[in-house]
Amino acid sequence: MEAQLQQLKEEVLQKIAASSNVKELNDVRVAYLGKKGPITDLLKGMGKLPAEERPKMGALVNVVREEVTTVLEARMSLLQEQAINEQLEKESIDVTLPGRPVKTGNHHPLTRVVEEIEDLFIGMGYEIAEGPEVEKDYYNFEALNLPKGHPARDMQDSFYISEDILLRTHTSPVQARTMEAKEGQPIKIICPGKVYRRDNDDATHSHQFTQIEGLVIGENIRMSDLKGTLSVFAKKMFGNDREIRLRPSFFPFTEPSVEMDISCFKCGGDGCNVCKKTGWIEILGAGMVHPNVLEMAGYDSKKLSGFAFGMGPERIAMLKYGVEDIRHFYTNDVRFLSQFHRTEV
Amino acid sequence: MLVSTKWLSEYVNTQGLDPKDLGEKITRAGIEVDAVIDRSHGMTNVVVGYVKEKVKHPEADKLNICQVDVGEETTQIICGAPNVDAGQKVIVARPGAVLPGGMKIKKAKLRGEESNGMICSLQELGIEGRLVPKAYADGIYVLPETAVPGESVLPLLGLDDIVLELGLTPNRSDALSMLGVAYEVGAILSEDMKYPEVNYTESDEKATDYLNLKVDAIEENPMYIAKVVKNIQVKESPLWLQHRLMAAGVRPHNNVVDITNYVLMEYGQPLHAFDYDRLETKEIIVRLAEEGEKIVTLDDQERTLKSNHLVITNGKEPVAIAGVMGGANSEVHDGTTTVVIESAYFVGGSVRQTSKDHNLRSDASARFEKGVDPNRVILAAERAASLLAELAGGEVLAGTVMVDELDKTPAEVVVSPDFINNRLGMKISLEDMTSILSRLKFDYQAANGLLYIKAPTRRQDIKIEEDIIEEIARMYGYDEIPMTLPVEESKPGGLSSYQAKRRQVRAYLEGAGLYQAITYSLTSKEMSQKFALETAPVTELLMPMSEDRSILRQSLIPHLLEAVTYNTARQADTVALYEVGSVFLGETESGLPHEQEHLAAVISGKWLDHSWQGEKKAVDFFVLKGIVEGLMDLLGHSSELTFERSVVDGLHPGRTASIKLAGEEIGVIAQLHPSEQKARDLKETYVMELNLAKVLDKEVEALYYAPVSKFPSITRDIALVVDSEKATGELQAIIQLSGGRLLKNVHLFDLYEGEKMEPGKKSVAFSLTYFDPERTLTDEEVVNAHNKVLKALAEQAGAELRG
């Protein structure tokens, strides 16, 4: 019986070694160590042995069984690891293949500029005011100190609908309407929107374009406040090291009136093609609200004062992004639009 | 306004400043210098030559061989100009010269003959053709006999000069004259002014004996004066006067006309010279024209006048349109011996209307329109008389013929220095303020803590305190203004809820793959109402620039489709665009159209790209519908959203739906009609337009959290056989209504129509989720609810369970 056991052990160890995968090895386990396997049979057959031999034999069988089990388990973990490695091998991919694209669109560049300006002023306590694109002559001109007969309001320059109604030529009527509605209360607004002028469309002119204006009215609003506000704007919009300068100018609705230049963001002021070698770039027009404008809207110009400024998002986008033709903004070529996708700075 | 710096320095000391620096100072003080023009263009080696001999070129008809004395030698030059002749003093560009056009002069051989330079026209020296005197317009320029061969022509022609081009704003009409610019420069540099010389002796005869004057339109013409000068000789002006006019952008004609133009440029006061004898009547009557009256102006155009046009007449017929242009009938000509010099104040509005009606703008009308200085009317006439005596040998008759009811009192402004400083946010001292006023030559008195200022009449833009603030600030320097921020009650800024939602709509659509487009609001009559959700009377321009941009749109779709066609024609695989913009409908009480903010979207081409993973999908109705559904979900309206078949002109009749919120129509979604697609060269294209304002203004329920349940849900799938025409939306609605409170979700997961189905039938499969947040459902409860659904489907839609 001992010899039989030894032979059995040799046989099992051989089978274990011969198993090449987890399944085969499991079959070996069931065949030899299972309830119906030869080792169990041997243990069952021990009853036939003399009583004094039984403990010795029993211990022997158990030793063999344990030895076989250890070898089997070692083999098993080896085969399992092999199996995982094979699977990983099979599942490996070419990580350089392109990813599945996430298709998204984006803001029109003008909206991008307008929202950037809006957000910047919202941070300084401004609200956004909007108004109609078809406007009364009164709000577009008269309330802004452009009385009838003023050369700036020639039929040549504006699209009239009737004698008293026209497509607004600037977003300033929104200021006039807001002032009228606020009835003498302080104001702090930004007015973006579409405007229209009788111009032939070419590289630098568009019969429809965008404006964004600001208006602040309060007690003791000073020209220094305008200058400080514009400086904050210039730095946030065009970079922290931007300088500004004001030049006297003329607008019927402000007095004094100024034009603001910023130091060139491309060359830093040394002179380049963007600033036409002057080191300065004209960005916007501004001024202290003309007393006639305040009075017409019911504000006491001796007690309250204000400033206003206005600029063209097209011009800013053209400068910032190097766009050379204003018509690009209205052609809606996807090859153009899709370039304004990513974050800046 | 073109300002010769040499000419300017006759009136004010420019302190030897480099013209570029002077320009910069002028700009920073308020008048923008648009350009600094070097009239020499860096030319050298351009000298006076004397043509000693001229012979025809043997080989070329149009060429002449000239022997030209250029000072240091006599050299041969070939010249093709028709007017070259022996005995002339001419302009010679010698070898080595570089002319303004970039032309380099070299020794050359022309048809075998040596040519050592070029005899030049004024155009070749960089003078615009329209400014060259007519006699020399088509050939070389001939210099006066006094020119010395070999000397540079630049000083002779005034080309050793730098011109500042001023970009004047409408308020600074005072700078439309050399004197006005001199005042400005004097103020900037703290220099005094020197007025031009007026020096003539009057004859014994009186002007009033020669001419009667009457003004019958005193409102339009409050001041009119005339000087009479006789025995003049009309000829070419001296060279210095001609080149000053050319530098100022005026073409020289003859001495009389040139003198009136010269004084116009000098004083900003337009003058006109009549031929006294051609007036015939010895009378000038200023009046409004008769309706339909005619006059032939100096440019030989016959013009029909209106009753609000002011004219100068000889008592019988018009001889000039006041302030705009003279008449041909009284024009000064070579044989003129006596002239009447008119200097007047014509009211701006009247001149503007007249010049607009005749589409005739002149140097004179531009100045009258903006208002000339009332105190220069007489000065300018006297200056002209003085020049006529000096340069035309004229005899100035004694006195002036005059009607004068013009108010010449200067505007008075009273302002406190504190007010000035408060508005500027500065602390400028009273001394600094008064010093600036002195530099500006404003009369002032400081008393009782106030400044009493009399603005000179040349500065008609100075009327109110704020105008003085600007004068003080610009002279003090805008760089000196400190930077502060408004001090006020602090209030949070922000977007309105409408504006905030509109931004979210944009972000959502862009996340869904659409690019934002911006198209024009103006469109053609044909397109104005096409695809419109709602039509109303259109808003039309009075004077459109073209038919294509004549009416305001009532739908955003046509222009978006134009963009799709544009992109498709340029090989774009996919075009997916949206636009947020206004449409213009009818008329509100205020007379303005009703502006409604709309959202439109178009998609065309591929939706999923062909990738290495093999998928590729064209856009379809349901891609766009999914975007609309997602949008309404974002805005909190998904439970009220329905789509109903509808028909709209230009859209595919089987693939159009109206979009409704709680039963109210708010938009349309559709495939473009195949014939419209074809007309636009498009593949299948889907469009959508919503009344965005209505959607965003709709109230939304507050967002409130529903507890996340611990209990499981149970899902049952059903496959139904129904008639092919049966709308799945209807089946879904039946399920939802009949499922009771336990039915939480219905999801359509399969649709089949084809061989395996009986003709006219289709199979629709739904997945139904039952769920109770409070407890685990029993099988029985689910079976009960599910059976109700099946029963309702069978009864209401004839749906059978698919075996």
Side-chain angles (χ1 to χ4, degrees), chain B residues 626-642:
Chain B
I627 291 172
V628 174
E629 287 170 328
L631 179 66
M632 291 306 164
D633 191 27
L634 172 81
L635 296 172
H637 298 305
S638 58
S639 64
E640 302 157 292
L641 176 68
T642 52

Side-chain angles (χ1 to χ4, degrees), chain A residues 23 37 77 342:
Chain A
K23 187 175 175 297
S77 66
R342 63 177 189 84

